[in-house]
Amino acid sequence: GVLATAFNGMLDNLERAREEEERYAAQLETRNRQLSLLYGLAARLGDVGKGRAAWRSALRILVESAPLRWVSLYQERSAGGWELVAAVGPGRPLQPEWVAAFLEGAGEEAVEGVGLPPGTLVLPLFAERRLSGALALGGRQLSPELEAVLPSVRQLVEGAFAQSVLMERLEHKERIRSLLLAKLLRAGEEERQRLARELHDEAGQALTALRLGLKVLEETSNDPESVRRAAGLREMAGNLQEELHRLSVELRPAVLDDLGLPAALRRYADLMESTCDLRVHVQADPAAAKLPPEVATALYRVAQEAVNNAVRHGRASAVTLDLRLLRGQVRMLVADNGTGFDVLAWRRRSPGEGHLGLESIRERAELLGGSLVVESAPGAGARLTVTLPLEEAALPGGEADGLAGLDRG
């Protein structure tokens, strides 16, 4: 009897140990599935900044791993109203306005029950402490596994959602800033063109008439003193006319509109060589004469700003302007033999602190979808490369690649 009792007790202990082991194994398997769900969800949520397809990929993890019948994500728009961002699973997702109504007054609590399809749970999502979206989960009954990790799921989705909303707002602000800057630059170019035209047409013609009148006075006057003064005034008027012509060219060279960018660059080089102790070498693809007006204007301003920087800050004595049409792009290279500067220090600077000309060049390039590359070092001069995209229709006479030999030494 004693031996049988001990044997039966041992069997009971073994059975309890086996049951405990099975229970532990089941818990471990459940926990592994939960961790797999959270890990897979977190990995997919890392890509949601790429758009709605990435959101659908992330939500599909919940449908497949939770499992759920369907999942949908909603977002409140700044202009008012809600919209469906992504949905995965069969059937029609909840209408966005229904979701907004269900969440009204719910605070941070999940919403389920009255008014919602059976087995539906709506989780409010917050961005910057403000209700900005919702995650709707649909299934006949939420599994205990999902119930256990639901707070973690919500935390992961809400974090990615808040980041996505913040990025959208920043991108929206950047688009507005770019539009305003483009409008400002366009208005500036129009005003430059108007002033250049007035200087050339009105002031220029008035000075020409004045010089002719003074010349007649020189030739007809019998008073030597009057003749001397008229000659002096005519010379002053001539100098003033030359200065007005220089200002007119700097404001908006007519040759840029009439003959295109290569001719405008050569004219600008002539102007700089005549007014500064500077040699300017221009290499330009002749096909660039038919670049779109906004591209030609931007590159002309880039050349102006870069050459001015080379003279004023770099104390350069020689500058090269190299304009090339490449496949689907136009590239402007400006290189000088000036003092150069520390590019890393420039990149680390505070906004608005020094090298404002480079900032102007960068913004002009980015407004047209292009880029600026700056290469320099103290004592080694500087190289600025601006590359702008060109659509096929904008390329004159087909693609050009490399220089076409229109040089100016």
Side-chain angles (χ1 to χ4, degrees), residues 269 272-280 307 310-311 316-319 337:
M272 293 303 293
E273 289 189 340
S274 65
T275 57
C276 305
D277 185 16
L278 182 70
R279 290 182 295 107
V280 183
V307 172
V311 173
S317 61
V319 176
N337 66 347

Side-chain angles (χ1 to χ4, degrees), residues 104-392:
E104 187 174 352
E108 298 185 7
E109 298 299 322
V111 177
E112 59 182 333
V114 179
L116 288 171
T120 299
L121 182 67
V122 179
L123 303 174
L125 301 177
F126 288 80
E128 298 179 328
R129 300 182 181 181
R130 181 179 179 279
L131 178 64
S132 301
L135 180 69
L137 311 175
R140 288 186 175 87
Q141 184 175 359
L142 296 181
S143 66
E145 293 179 16
L146 180 59
E147 288 277 9
V149 297
L150 199 56
S152 299
V153 168
R154 178 180 177 181
Q155 186 175 13
L156 285 173
V157 174
E158 190 170 58
F161 178 80
Q163 185 177 8
S164 176
V165 169
L166 179 60
M167 289 301 298
E168 281 190 11
R169 291 174 182 170
L170 290 175
E171 289 170 1
H172 179 66
K173 290 180 179 179
E174 179 61 23
R175 284 195 298 271
I176 292 177
R177 188 194 73 85
S178 296
L179 288 173
L180 291 174
L181 182 57
K183 188 175 181 180
L184 180 63
L185 288 175
R186 190 160 50 247
E189 286 297 332
E190 291 172 356
E191 184 63 13
R192 282 170 177 260
Q193 193 171 18
R194 184 187 67 81
L195 289 174
R197 190 183 306 114
E198 288 185 0
L199 287 175
H200 180 271
D201 294 345
E202 297 180 16
Q205 291 177 9
L207 285 172
T208 298
L210 178 60
R211 291 177 66 193
L212 290 174
L214 290 170
K215 183 174 177 60
V216 171
L217 181 60
E218 283 182 64
E219 295 173 347
T220 59
S221 176
N222 295 321
D223 181 5
E225 181 63 20
S226 297
V227 171
R228 186 184 64 80
R229 290 185 178 182
L233 290 173
R234 187 162 65 88
E235 183 180 359
M236 290 176 59
N239 292 337
L240 179 57
Q241 192 169 25
E242 289 180 4
E243 180 64 15
L244 287 179
H245 176 70
R246 186 187 65 80
L247 290 174
S248 176
V249 170
E250 286 192 358
L251 283 170
R252 177 76 182 188
V255 68
L256 179 61
D257 301 314
D258 299 337
L259 300 179
L261 182 58
L265 291 176
R266 294 196 304 276
R267 182 71 60 83
Y268 179 66
D270 288 336
L271 177 65
M272 293 303 293
E273 289 189 340
S274 65
T275 57
C276 305
D277 185 16
L278 182 70
R279 290 182 295 107
V280 183
H281 180 62
V282 178
Q283 295 176 300
D285 190 326
K290 295 184 179 180
L291 285 171
E294 66 277 9
V295 174
T297 298
L299 290 176
Y300 182 79
R301 296 304 179 202
V302 165
Q304 275 188 313
E305 193 66 59
V307 172
N308 284 336
N309 282 347
V311 173
R312 291 172 54 198
H313 304 298
R315 297 191 293 278
S317 61
V319 176
T320 295
L321 302 177
D322 187 343
L323 177 67
R324 304 189 183 203
L325 285 181
L326 306 174
R327 186 168 297 277
Q329 296 178 327
V330 57
R331 189 188 72 190
M332 166 79 79
L333 168 67
V334 184
D336 67 66
N337 66 347
T339 57
F341 59 94
D342 186 341
V343 177
L344 291 179
W346 169 64
R347 289 173 179 162
R348 290 194 298 262
R349 83 223 176 286
S350 301
E353 180 184 339
H355 293 288
L356 296 180
L358 291 179
E359 282 300 311
S360 172
I361 292 173
R362 182 184 61 80
E363 289 191 338
R364 283 185 182 275
E366 291 180 352
L367 280 174
L368 294 176
S371 63
L372 166 67
V373 175
V374 180
E375 301 170 89
S376 185
R383 287 167 57 93
L384 310 181
T385 305
V386 172
T387 305
L388 302 180
L390 287 177
E391 297 180 2
E392 293 289 334

